[in-house]
Amino acid sequence: MTEASVNLNNGGSMHEGTETVLEPTTTAHPLTPVFTRVVRVRRETKDTWTIWIERPDVYPGHRPGQFNMLYVPGVGEVPISIASSQRESAARIAHTIRRVGPVTSALVALRKGDYVGIRGPYGSHWPVGSAAGHDVVVIAGGLGLAPLRPAVVELLKLRRKLGALALLYGARTPEDLLYQRELAKWRQVLDFQLLVTVDRGTRDWHGHVGVVTTLIPGISFDPSRTIAFICGPEIMMRFAVRELLSRGVPPNQVYVSLERNLQCAVGFCGHCQLGPKFICADGPVFPYDVIEPYFLVKQL
Amino acid sequence: MAPDEGRAETALLLRKTRFQDLLDHLVQAGYRVIGPTVREGVVTYDEIHRVEQIPRGWVDLQEPGKYRLRYDKNNPFWFSFTPGPISLKRYLFPPTQTLFRVRRDNGRPRAEAVIPDPPRYAFLGVRGCDVRAVAVQDRVYIDRQGQFSDSYYAKARERCLIIAVECQTFADTCFCTSMGSGPQVQSGADLVLTELPDAFVVRSLSDKGQAIVSALELPPAAPEQVAEADQAVREAAGSMERRVDTTDIRNLLLRNLENPRWEEVAKRCIACANCTMVCPTCFCFTVQEVTDLSGENIERRRVQDSCFNPEFSYAFGTIVRQTVSSRYRQWLTHKFATWYDQFGTPGCVGCGRCITWCPVGIDVTEELQAIRNSDGERGASA
């Protein structure tokens, strides 16, 4: 999650001429949000909440893996991946937000009925539609489950058209696991391999302990016909990709979702560049073969 | 017909004694004239009304990390200087702009877009490099295949008039001929002026430019005058010493992301961001939330930013480009490699500003050549 930062300002405003103020609906600059209401807030973990907002009339609808810019007046704006599928509800949109800086702190402090600014959706999506006929391996690390959740929801609706379906999910501790009731429900789904691991267990944790890549040997899939969606910390994605490729999953069937500093979300402010790619507009979801030359270069 | 012949046929003559008429006409036509003028020891762009404000006879000396001006009273030429630190970016994409203000109706917030109304600028004395820089910026701000169009830039651009003056002298830092952006101006301007000791050869490249010359009722230039002016520009172009070998430069840089040269240059680079501020094509901006103490008056601004600032790459709780070498690499590879992927042109126009205004005199052309000379070497990663 990116916090808006304040830095270079080479002098005063050069904004000359007069200004005309118009209503935002028609000719707004692409960086102008609309406001909508929070309809539900649910605490997920000690530092993470899921916030459902009313879908604004002008909001065009989204696909799994895309993100919105959420705005709190007087505080700032941050990119947040969309945690719900339109196939669950067309009227509300979920965002799962970890409290890390001023804007995310203000967002998670919102309550039902409060207003929040939104613009979006932005970016590329998980190619759920092209998963038909494939084995599907979804690998999530930490908050990386949030943008994968709508993909899982839609994959489950497509279940009969898929081969094997697996979700591997790793969190730091059992207390950091998101969507716990939903995970419990997914465990009951037949023919859905759901494996969960934590980096550090607790006394009442009887599950797997270790990094998420150690779960890969525990699932069955046919590498050559597998499509994989991966989201999590970059180090985890590197290892997960390496493991899948070494098992023979073709690199163009592995999709990763990347994060960089995002401020405009329309490929313009320049912060999110990774080599020639704007993460906001060309990504955040990339086929691995496309992004590999840049993904592997440190500090690019 | 040779291109020069076509140029000659339509060339007109503006005597220096009538230059004030041009300025007056631009003002009458509703333009705010922005031209070169001397201020604070540099040739800068500013609003001008009188021909005396043009730095006639002034000559600049530019070297890596150095800029000096000297006045030569015997110099009959009015435009004997090369680009100063300010480019048209300052006017077309101002360093600070308000995007919207937040109002409340019975508690419900509403974002009121601030629709900018830029003046009609007439940019006078624009050099080939800066004319090209505007064309490069057009691709960034307007021509994004429907992705995004910046309303302020688009409007300012549509309203403006560009009067170029072809260079006949160069600073040591200039390399426009390598980037194909000068000194001749073939497109991108409305009027192109080429200087003679007592007059300017004037060519119109657009309807807007044509309207100006028609109103001034300029006489045609004599073929000898046109030939003399063109010859002077050609000779000057041939004398430019600084060069960049742009052969396959995109791939050269992208296959050298881990070249040890990035660490070499980082030993000198102080990440001050001067190069990005003076660069006429650098477009990165950050956003600021501005609010008063009551919290009732809130506006969102965008402010010029630089990839040399550490926070520029802040993401997932860390700074992605921790080292200066990684930031220098980002800047240089963006200008000369990934800009091609993103916008179909190089991001550099060869104006040399980043060389002059680098406080430690880092020379972009030298760095590019060093990468070429050590193509394929790998060091510790940036």
Side-chain angles (χ1 to χ4, degrees), chain A residues 68-134:
Chain A
N68 285 318
M69 297 299 287
L70 297 187
Y71 171 65
V72 181
V75 187
E77 189 183 50
V78 285
I80 304 286
S81 54
I82 302 164
S84 59
S85 161
Q86 296 201 133
R87 303 195 52 187
E88 297 172 275
S89 166
R92 37 171 76 179
I93 313 159
H95 300 86
T96 298
I97 303 166
R98 177 175 288 162
R99 187 179 56 197
V100 288
V103 185
T104 50
S105 296
L107 283 169
V108 301
L110 293 173
R111 292 296 167 254
K112 184 178 174 181
D114 289 346
Y115 286 101
V116 62
I118 177 177
R119 55 188 180 93
Y122 295 115
S124 59
H125 58 274
W126 304 109
V128 173
S130 49
H134 288 81

Side-chain angles (χ1 to χ4, degrees), chain A residues 16 71 74 263 267 271 299, chain B residues 32 144 285-286 289 305 322:
Chain A
E16 298 183 45
Y71 171 65
Q263 297 192 11
H271 289 81
Q299 300 195 46
Chain B
R32 181 181 297 187
R144 294 290 289 277
F285 66 86
T286 186
E289 193 74 3
D305 199 357
Q322 298 265 350

Side-chain angles (χ1 to χ4, degrees), chain B residues 235-371:
Chain B
E235 273 175 19
S239 72
M240 191 177 292
E241 287 178 13
R242 188 176 295 278
R243 285 198 174 79
V244 169
D245 180 358
T246 57
T247 312
D248 198 32
I249 197 160
R250 175 197 176 271
N251 297 328
L252 171 77
L253 290 175
L254 290 185
R255 69 173 174 258
N256 280 285
L257 293 173
E258 289 170 292
N259 190 297
R261 183 71 190 188
W262 304 116
E263 296 203 348
E264 280 305 306
V265 67
K267 288 176 187 164
R268 292 188 292 146
C269 175
I270 57 173
C272 69
N274 265 17
C275 51
T276 58
M277 284 190 289
V278 296
C279 178
T281 68
C282 270
F283 60 82
C284 291
F285 66 86
T286 186
V287 282
Q288 285 181 349
E289 193 74 3
V290 182
T291 168
D292 64 5
L293 286 175
S294 74
E296 288 304 303
N297 295 299
I298 296 167
E299 63 178 57
R300 193 146 182 85
R301 293 183 188 158
R302 74 161 178 225
V303 178
Q304 189 181 349
D305 199 357
S306 169
C307 54
F308 282 93
N309 293 334
E311 324 85 271
F312 185 88
S313 65
Y314 180 86
F316 39 84
T318 186
I319 288 167
V320 174
R321 297 187 199 107
Q322 298 265 350
T323 58
V324 173
S325 59
S326 68
R327 286 177 235 151
Y328 189 86
R329 179 180 67 186
Q330 168 59 25
W331 181 68
L332 198 72
T333 56
H334 191 208
K335 291 289 161 199
F336 288 91
T338 55
W339 206 291
Y340 286 98
D341 297 76
Q342 295 169 353
F343 306 109
T345 67
C348 174
V349 297
C351 69
R353 288 181 173 99
C354 58
I355 305 173
T356 299
W357 297 99
C358 176
V360 298
I362 293 172
D363 173 354
V364 66
T365 63
E366 183 186 342
E367 293 312 310
L368 290 165
Q369 190 57 43
I371 295 280

